[in-house]
Amino acid sequence: MTQITLGHTPERLHALDGVRAGALLLGVAFHASLSFLPGPQFWVVRDAPSDALGTFSFVAHIFRIAAFFLIAGFFGRMLLGRRGLGGFVRNRLARIALPLLVFWPIAITGIIATFIWGAATMAGGSLPPGPPPPPPTLATFPLTHLWFLYLLLLFYAATLAIRAVLALVDREARVRGAPVDRVMRLITATPAAPLFLAAPLAVALALRTPWYAWSGIPTPDIGFVPNGAAVTGFGTAFAFGWLLHRQTGLLDSIRRWWAVQLAAGVVLAILCLVQLHGTPASVPMPQGAAKLVLACTYALAVWSWTLGITGAALRFLTREQPALRYVADASYWIYLMHLPVVMALQVAIYPVGVPGLVKWALVTAAAFLILIASYHLLVRHSWLGRWLNGRKLPWRAPAPALETHAA
C-alpha cells in the first residue's frame, strides 16, 4: 500500500490529542446532566428538570463521540505505521481490550449499586417491590459506557481485515492508493465536506425504526451486535480519521474552515431543536418527510461540529501547555471510572432543594475533583499509568513529550 504522510508535527498531535481528551471529558458533564433532563427518561434518579441541561445534553451528544472516533482513526493508522502489524495488535490488546475486560466488572458493580441506592432514595428509603431483572443475554448484555472500547476494537479488526483483502485483490494500489487520496483532497478542499461525510449517517438514521431523535445516534451500549446507525456514523468518522492520516497536510484544510464549520454546526443544532420542539424524548420519530429532514439536518450537524471542533483545536491548541497535557493524560482514566462516581453523586444530591442546573454543576465539579485526585494518587505515577497511558511518570520530573493515545 502506498504510504503518504506529509509529516505530522508535534503541534498537530497536541491539538488532536486535545480533541480526544476533550471528547472523553465532555462525557462526564454529559452523563452528569442525565438525571436533570426534562421528560420520563430512565436514569439512576429523576431530579429537578432543566431545559438548559436538555439542550446541553442534546448538543454535546451531536459531536463528542464522532470527534473521538475521528481522532482514534487518525492515531490508529499512525500507531500501525510506527509499530507494524504485530506491535499494533499487541498495543491495542493491552490498551483497549484489557481495560475493557478489567474495568467493566468494576463499572457494572458500581452502576448496579447506585441504581439500587437511587431507587431506594426515590421511594423514600426502601426499595420498591418488583421482580429482579432477567439475566443478560448476548443481545442485552450491558456494555455500559465502555461500549466505545468494544466498538473501537471492532473497527480495528474490520480495518485490518479490509487492508488485508485489498492487499490481495488490489496489488497495484489502483483503488487504495491515489484514487482514495484524491477523493479525500476533494472532500476537504472546501467547507462542503459535511455534505459528503453526513450522507451515510443521514440514510442510517432515516431508516432506523424506532429512532428516538433526542438521543441522536443511538449508542450501542446494550448487546454485542452494535446498531447500524452507530456503526455507520462512528465508522465513517473512524475511516475518515484513518484516511486523513495518509495525507496529514489535509489537516490544514480542516483548520482553515473551522469557524465556518462551527457556525454551521450551531445553526444546524438550532434547526434540529426547532424540529424536535414539542416532541417528548420517549416518543420515536414517525416515518415520513419530517423524519428524513431531521435525519439529514442532524447528520450534517454531526459533521459540522466535528470538523469545526477539530479545526479549532488545530488553530488554537497547538502549543504544549503543562496543565492541558496533564488533563489529557488523565482523560482516559477519568472516562473509564467516571460513571459510577457521577451516578453516586447524583443520588447523594437528590434530596437537596436547589435548581437542577446548580445540582449539575456541583455533581460535575465534584466528579472531576474525585477523579483527578484518584488519577494523581493511583495512576499517574504507578504501573496503572504505564498500562493505560504507555508511561509511568516520576513524582517530580516534568512530563515527557506526547505519546500516542488512541483511546
Side-chain angles (χ1 to χ4, degrees):
M1 177 175 291
T2 304
Q3 301 291 318
I4 302 178
T5 53
L6 300 182
H8 31 263
T9 64
E11 291 78 12
R12 285 171 170 172
L13 298 185
H14 294 320
L16 295 178
D17 196 49
V19 176
R20 176 202 63 84
L24 293 176
L25 296 176
L26 185 58
V28 180
F30 169 80
H31 286 125
S33 73
L34 295 186
S35 60
F36 309 104
L37 300 185
Q41 297 91 338
F42 175 74
W43 193 240
V44 61
V45 288
R46 299 304 312 150
D47 212 321
S50 167
D51 290 334
L53 288 177
T55 300
F56 163 77
S57 172
F58 177 79
V59 175
H61 195 59
I62 288 176
F63 64 87
R64 65 183 185 89
I65 306 177
F68 168 83
F69 277 105
L70 186 154
I71 304 305
F74 184 94
F75 280 149
R77 188 178 183 277
M78 185 173 73
L79 186 67
L80 180 63
R82 287 181 175 181
R83 302 202 176 188
L85 179 59
F88 176 86
V89 171
R90 288 190 296 272
N91 180 278
R92 298 296 82 189
L93 288 176
R95 298 273 297 279
I96 305 297
L98 190 56
L100 174 60
L101 294 175
V102 170
F103 288 98
W104 181 87
I106 299 172
I108 196 64
T109 300
I111 289 169
I112 292 173
T114 53
F115 261 103
I116 294 173
W117 181 22
T121 300
M122 293 189 69
S126 60
L127 285 176
T137 65
L138 291 178
T140 63
F141 188 87
L143 291 169
T144 73
H145 64 299
L146 303 183
W147 65 264
F148 82 105
L149 296 178
Y150 176 71
L151 191 60
L152 193 55
L153 290 171
L154 295 184
F155 287 160
Y156 288 142
T159 302
L160 294 180
I162 292 171
R163 284 169 57 91
V165 171
L166 288 177
L168 291 175
V169 302
D170 186 31
R171 295 182 181 275
E172 298 181 4
R174 294 178 178 177
V175 174
R176 57 197 171 94
V180 171
D181 299 325
R182 188 160 51 247
V183 169
M184 286 291 291
R185 289 194 295 272
L186 290 173
I187 288 176
T188 57
T190 73
L195 293 174
F196 302 97
L197 296 169
L201 176 59
V203 172
L205 292 176
L207 294 177
R208 180 169 175 79
T209 303
W211 178 38
Y212 297 91
W214 276 104
S215 299
I217 302 175
T219 53
D221 52 356
I222 299 294
F224 288 107
V225 180
N227 67 77
V231 171
T232 301
F234 303 140
T236 302
F238 181 88
F240 180 77
W242 188 278
L243 295 176
L244 190 62
H245 181 264
R246 287 178 56 87
Q247 304 175 90
T248 54
L250 299 182
L251 294 172
D252 293 332
S253 297
I254 294 175
R255 181 184 60 185
R256 181 180 305 119
W257 303 113
W258 72 269
V260 176
Q261 301 292 9
L262 277 185
V266 171
V267 172
L268 289 163
I270 293 172
L271 290 176
C272 289
L273 290 168
V274 169
Q275 292 175 78
L276 284 170
H277 181 70
T279 302
S282 58
V283 175
M285 286 295 296
Q287 295 296 118
K291 180 181 180 182
L292 178 60
V293 172
L294 181 58
C296 293
T297 307
Y298 189 88
L300 286 170
V302 168
W303 276 102
S304 295
W305 273 102
T306 299
L307 294 177
I309 292 291
T310 305
L314 290 165
R315 173 64 178 83
F316 298 107
L317 294 182
T318 55
R319 292 177 58 188
E320 175 75 354
Q321 301 180 37
L324 293 180
R325 177 74 265 141
Y326 183 99
V327 173
D329 288 342
S331 61
Y332 191 21
W333 166 262
I334 288 174
Y335 194 83
L336 289 173
M337 298 299 295
H338 82 278
L339 194 55
V341 174
V342 166
M343 294 170 69
L345 290 169
Q346 288 170 323
V347 177
I349 206 171
Y350 175 76
V352 180
V354 296
L357 195 60
V358 175
K359 288 186 176 184
W360 169 79
L362 292 172
V363 168
T364 303
F368 274 120
L369 286 174
I370 293 169
L371 293 163
I372 288 176
S374 68
Y375 166 75
H376 190 80
L377 296 174
L378 302 177
V379 179
R380 185 171 179 83
H381 310 290
S382 75
W383 61 270
L384 284 170
R386 182 183 294 114
W387 172 28
L388 296 177
N389 292 338
R391 60 184 181 268
K392 180 180 79 171
L393 298 175
W395 280 95
R396 297 187 180 276
L402 174 71
E403 285 273 338
T404 300
H405 293 263

